[in-house]
Amino acid sequence: MPSQSVPVPPVASAPLVPAISLRSDLTTQRSTRRVQLTPKYGSRACAVDVRYLWCGAPDAPTVIVQGGISASRDVLALDGEAAPGWWQTLVGAGQAIDLDRYRVLAIDWLTPADLSEGDAAVVSSEDQADALAALVDALGIGRVHAFVGYSYGAMAALAFAARHPYALDRLVLLAGAHRAHPLATAQRAVQRSIVRLGQDCGQPEQALALARQLAMTTYRGSDEFARRFTAAPEFRDGRFHFPVEDYLEQAGRRFVERFDVERFLALSESIDLHDITPEQVPTPATLIGFPSDRLVPLADLCELQRRLLGPATLEVVESPYGHDAALKESDRLAPLLREALM
Amino acid sequence: MPSQSVPVPPVASAPLVPAISLRSDLTTQRSTRRVQLTPKYGSRACAVDVRYLWCGAPDAPTVIVQGGISASRDVLALDGEAAPGWWQTLVGAGQAIDLDRYRVLAIDWLTPADLSEGDAAVVSSEDQADALAALVDALGIGRVHAFVGYSYGAMAALAFAARHPYALDRLVLLAGAHRAHPLATAQRAVQRSIVRLGQDCGQPEQALALARQLAMTTYRGSDEFARRFTAAPEFRDGRFHFPVEDYLEQAGRRFVERFDVERFLALSESIDLHDITPEQVPTPATLIGFPSDRLVPLADLCELQRRLLGPATLEVVESPYGHDAALKESDRLAPLLREALM
């Protein structure tokens, strides 16, 4: 659940990465495919429309790339799109996840609304994995070269490897583990309670913005907050406003513009329900963790590494950016990703 | 702002410390005294009723003891009180803060309502310090042997030492520093926004409970959450409930029984407005910090130690209990407190 860049951000906040001009010999599908799956919390199979992006060198091996719950299939921007993709700095022709060598496949996360043909009111990381596996099948991809997952994406990647091991050659997991940490669950449970309070009293959007504010306090490292927000509070509109508060309020407002309450509740809960047995995952894995990540403590990645059935390496990247390091430390992550995909 | 024990908790949750039977030769005042002070955020002096407890050996030196914003003057229980005081394990006859050797003085924190004779809508840690200094004067105490402060109490202690250095011999500061950490301010700002949202939509108590839930996620160490809340979620009342969520919800409900919205808003803001220049504090100080405290990072106590004008030692106590360690690690704190008071 990272604080990803907004799909259509104001100009001032857009990262300084231009949308790449996709070469004409790269294949691109940005489409929807109907697949069948049986939701974990449902009792029967249902048809689901999966919105996906599949893009890269023709006939190249496919790499699945999935981010946090607020990420979309738009890992990178396509020609003519104003906004950069959420991992624009690492995915592209000539970049760490190189579209000259791979085809990248990504989906929009499913929500319970997508499962409406069935009877499941809850979506699981296993459902996301099954949807991806069915899509891989429907697109005739065969084996997937790698599943690169960040945050909730790492959870879905583990679920994919546990349930469809013969469809996948390797795992690359950034800041995500076999289960949510109970402290992180506590923080998300409060976020969901805020939103439900807002729904009860007719202020769902204001509550969603507040829940996002709380989420923002969990993404960055403690030292980064200390460095950025040293100024004195300002008295205005009848109360003191602290610099960090202005930052949070802006982030909350922007989130509401691009996310809705039900989607937030469902995907937030899905993170906390995630529970995979690492001993059932045979796929070779590269784990990447950040010591300043308070949402996914490094200790959880150490435990995951120890328990995975397949061989696993753990790369530790020092960064002030906490859980957001996967979005901020592109230069440090690029060589690790290149090596993990080899 | 610690998760202190409730004044009138259910039997099952009461700490296993009986209310001490105060010896008849200990003096005890549990009373109110009117003093004058000029609030930091006001323009004129006002009279304030300060509710205090002053208790211990007759003619013994006085030690001020103040806790977090949810603590009261009832540091220890007096004869006939059903509930233990908030620091019952460390304050009493024969205990670390020994009532056979000292008289303990504590006040109920002031709120803006207490300053209503003036024009201040905000209460500062300096106001709390000035109220204590005026009370010390009114009671004829002369010099205070030590000010032992935990959390917000440590903030008020620093303000006292900065403003009334000749009234105080030593400082003992647990999990509190010269300013709030910006990440902690972010977390408290969200708590206050939750409460204001609740006020706006007529559900202030539910919102206060939620704010308390969020606060609870900041008090204990991450590992302690991981150890305690390993059970699977339960599906009931139409949604999944996580074990940590049940814990938070109970804590929220109990807080609402003993705290009110306006008091919470004012004291929470007072923490974030706290800003003392350590270079102006000449009083010898013992600082006690906990590496697992995410609310008051040890780094802030290191900075405070480095910057204090007077001599300062820093004691580091490893504990899984984070910011709550001052309430949970009595056996480890007792010798440190005894030594600091010598």
Side-chain angles (χ1 to χ4, degrees):
Chain A
M1 196 164 45
S3 57
Q4 269 125 12
S5 56
V6 185
V8 189
V11 172
S13 67
L16 295 172
V17 182
I20 58 165
S21 186
L22 286 180
R23 290 173 6 205
S24 56
D25 60 339
L26 296 185
T27 61
T28 300
Q29 292 183 28
R30 192 173 186 280
S31 186
T32 299
R33 188 68 69 107
R34 176 157 291 201
V35 300
Q36 292 275 324
L37 63 90
T38 303
K40 179 178 182 179
Y41 297 102
S43 62
R44 60 176 182 268
C46 60
V48 176
D49 290 323
V50 181
R51 293 172 295 279
Y52 69 95
L53 175 70
W54 191 28
C55 168
D59 305 321
T62 288
V63 173
I64 298 175
V65 177
Q66 293 288 141
I69 65 167
S70 58
S72 70
R73 61 179 158 175
D74 296 314
V75 173
L76 72 164
L78 301 179
D79 275 348
E81 290 180 339
W86 68 265
W87 233 19
Q88 190 84 38
T89 53
L90 286 164
V91 180
Q95 305 217 44
I97 300 178
D98 188 350
L99 295 186
D100 288 339
R101 298 185 56 190
Y102 304 111
R103 294 179 83 168
V104 163
L105 177 67
I107 65 168
D108 285 345
W109 293 122
L110 300 179
T111 68
D114 297 308
L115 310 175
S116 58
E117 200 184 77
D119 57 355
V122 173
V123 67
S124 67
S125 55
E126 288 95 333
D127 299 341
Q128 313 287 0
D130 288 358
L132 274 159
L135 179 64
V136 163
D137 202 44
L139 295 174
I141 288 172
R143 286 178 74 91
V144 172
H145 179 68
F147 192 139
V148 182
Y150 160 49
S151 194
Y152 184 58
M155 293 175 161
L158 275 168
F160 189 108
R163 297 165 71 83
H164 311 282
Y166 299 108
L168 182 64
D169 284 334
R170 69 204 71 195
L171 278 170
V172 185
L173 310 175
L174 298 97
H178 48 296
R179 58 135 181 81
H181 190 283
L183 175 57
T185 295
Q187 292 161 336
R188 277 185 296 264
V190 175
Q191 291 168 36
R192 295 193 292 273
S193 294
I194 294 169
V195 171
R196 286 193 299 264
L197 174 65
Q199 286 178 316
D200 287 350
C201 65
Q203 303 222 37
E205 293 204 341
Q206 196 173 340
L208 180 62
L210 255 183
R212 179 63 171 185
Q213 288 189 38
L214 169 49
M216 295 297 290
T217 68
T218 69
Y219 293 146
R220 295 288 173 93
S222 173
D223 292 347
E224 219 247 331
F225 276 92
R227 253 194 305 274
R228 282 179 71 178
F229 303 108
T230 55
E234 283 179 20
F235 193 83
R236 57 176 196 270
D237 307 330
R239 70 172 181 88
F240 283 100
H241 291 252
F242 296 87
V244 71
E245 204 174 354
D246 291 333
Y247 158 79
L248 296 177
E249 286 172 2
Q250 188 189 10
R253 279 192 301 270
R254 285 164 55 181
F255 189 68
V256 168
E257 292 167 9
R258 68 189 178 95
F259 227 75
D260 70 73
V261 163
E262 292 300 338
R263 184 177 184 83
F264 176 80
L265 287 176
L267 292 175
S268 170
E269 182 181 46
S270 188
I271 294 176
D272 290 321
L273 291 171
H274 170 74
D275 191 0
I276 301 292
T277 305
E279 290 81 358
Q280 294 173 351
V281 177
T283 313
T286 301
L287 282 48
I288 302 177
F290 312 105
S292 60
D293 186 347
R294 290 171 289 109
L295 203 59
V296 181
L298 195 59
D300 285 8
L301 294 193
C302 294
E303 180 187 332
L304 174 60
Q305 181 196 21
R306 197 171 60 240
R307 292 179 52 191
L308 279 168
L309 180 61
T313 58
L314 172 59
E315 303 283 353
V316 176
V317 177
E318 296 284 348
S319 163
Y321 293 111
H323 193 65
D324 277 357
L327 304 173
K328 300 283 288 181
E329 298 286 4
S330 303
D331 291 347
R332 318 255 320 265
L333 293 175
L336 299 179
L337 291 175
R338 284 183 200 277
E339 189 177 349
L341 292 180
M342 278 200 303
Chain B
M1 198 165 42
S3 58
Q4 268 124 13
S5 56
V6 184
V8 190
V11 171
S13 67
L16 296 172
V17 183
I20 58 165
S21 185
L22 285 181
R23 292 174 4 206
S24 56
D25 59 340
L26 296 185
T27 62
T28 299
Q29 292 183 30
R30 192 171 185 283
S31 186
T32 298
R33 188 69 69 105
R34 175 156 293 200
V35 301
Q36 291 277 325
L37 62 90
T38 303
K40 179 177 182 180
Y41 297 103
S43 62
R44 59 174 182 268
C46 59
V48 176
D49 290 322
V50 181
R51 294 171 295 279
Y52 68 95
L53 174 71
W54 191 29
C55 167
D59 305 322
T62 288
V63 173
I64 298 174
V65 178
Q66 293 289 139
I69 64 167
S70 58
S72 70
R73 61 179 157 174
D74 297 312
V75 174
L76 72 165
L78 301 179
D79 276 348
E81 291 181 337
W86 68 265
W87 234 20
Q88 190 83 37
T89 54
L90 286 164
V91 180
Q95 305 217 45
I97 300 178
D98 189 349
L99 295 187
D100 287 338
R101 299 185 54 189
Y102 304 111
R103 294 179 83 169
V104 162
L105 176 67
I107 65 168
D108 285 344
W109 293 123
L110 300 179
T111 69
D114 297 309
L115 311 175
S116 58
E117 198 184 79
D119 56 356
V122 173
V123 67
S124 67
S125 56
E126 287 95 334
D127 298 341
Q128 312 286 2
D130 288 357
L132 274 159
L135 179 64
V136 163
D137 201 46
L139 295 174
I141 289 172
R143 285 178 76 90
V144 171
H145 179 68
F147 192 141
V148 182
Y150 160 49
S151 194
Y152 184 59
M155 294 174 162
L158 275 168
F160 189 108
R163 297 166 70 83
H164 311 281
Y166 300 107
L168 181 65
D169 284 334
R170 68 205 73 195
L171 278 170
V172 185
L173 309 175
L174 299 97
H178 47 296
R179 58 134 179 82
H181 190 283
L183 175 56
T185 295
Q187 292 160 335
R188 276 185 296 265
V190 175
Q191 291 167 37
R192 296 193 292 273
S193 293
I194 294 169
V195 171
R196 287 193 299 264
L197 174 65
Q199 287 178 315
D200 287 349
C201 64
Q203 305 222 38
E205 293 205 341
Q206 196 173 341
L208 181 62
L210 255 183
R212 178 63 170 184
Q213 289 189 38
L214 169 49
M216 295 298 289
T217 69
T218 68
Y219 293 145
R220 295 288 173 93
S222 173
D223 292 347
E224 219 247 331
F225 275 92
R227 253 194 304 275
R228 281 179 70 178
F229 303 108
T230 55
E234 284 178 18
F235 192 83
R236 57 175 196 268
D237 306 332
R239 71 171 181 89
F240 283 99
H241 290 253
F242 296 87
V244 72
E245 204 174 354
D246 292 334
Y247 159 81
L248 296 176
E249 286 173 2
Q250 188 189 8
R253 280 191 301 269
R254 286 163 56 181
F255 189 68
V256 168
E257 292 166 11
R258 68 190 179 94
F259 227 75
D260 70 72
V261 163
E262 291 301 338
R263 183 176 184 82
F264 176 80
L265 287 176
L267 292 175
S268 170
E269 181 181 46
S270 189
I271 294 177
D272 290 321
L273 291 170
H274 171 75
D275 191 0
I276 301 293
T277 304
E279 290 80 359
Q280 294 174 351
V281 177
T283 314
T286 301
L287 281 47
I288 301 177
F290 312 105
S292 60
D293 186 346
R294 289 170 290 110
L295 204 58
V296 181
L298 194 59
D300 285 8
L301 293 192
C302 293
E303 181 186 333
L304 174 59
Q305 181 196 23
R306 195 171 62 240
R307 292 178 53 190
L308 279 168
L309 180 61
T313 58
L314 172 59
E315 304 282 354
V316 176
V317 177
E318 295 284 348
S319 162
Y321 294 111
H323 193 66
D324 277 358
L327 305 173
K328 299 283 288 181
E329 298 285 5
S330 303
D331 292 347
R332 317 258 318 267
L333 293 174
L336 299 178
L337 291 175
R338 285 182 199 277
E339 189 177 349
L341 293 180
M342 279 200 302

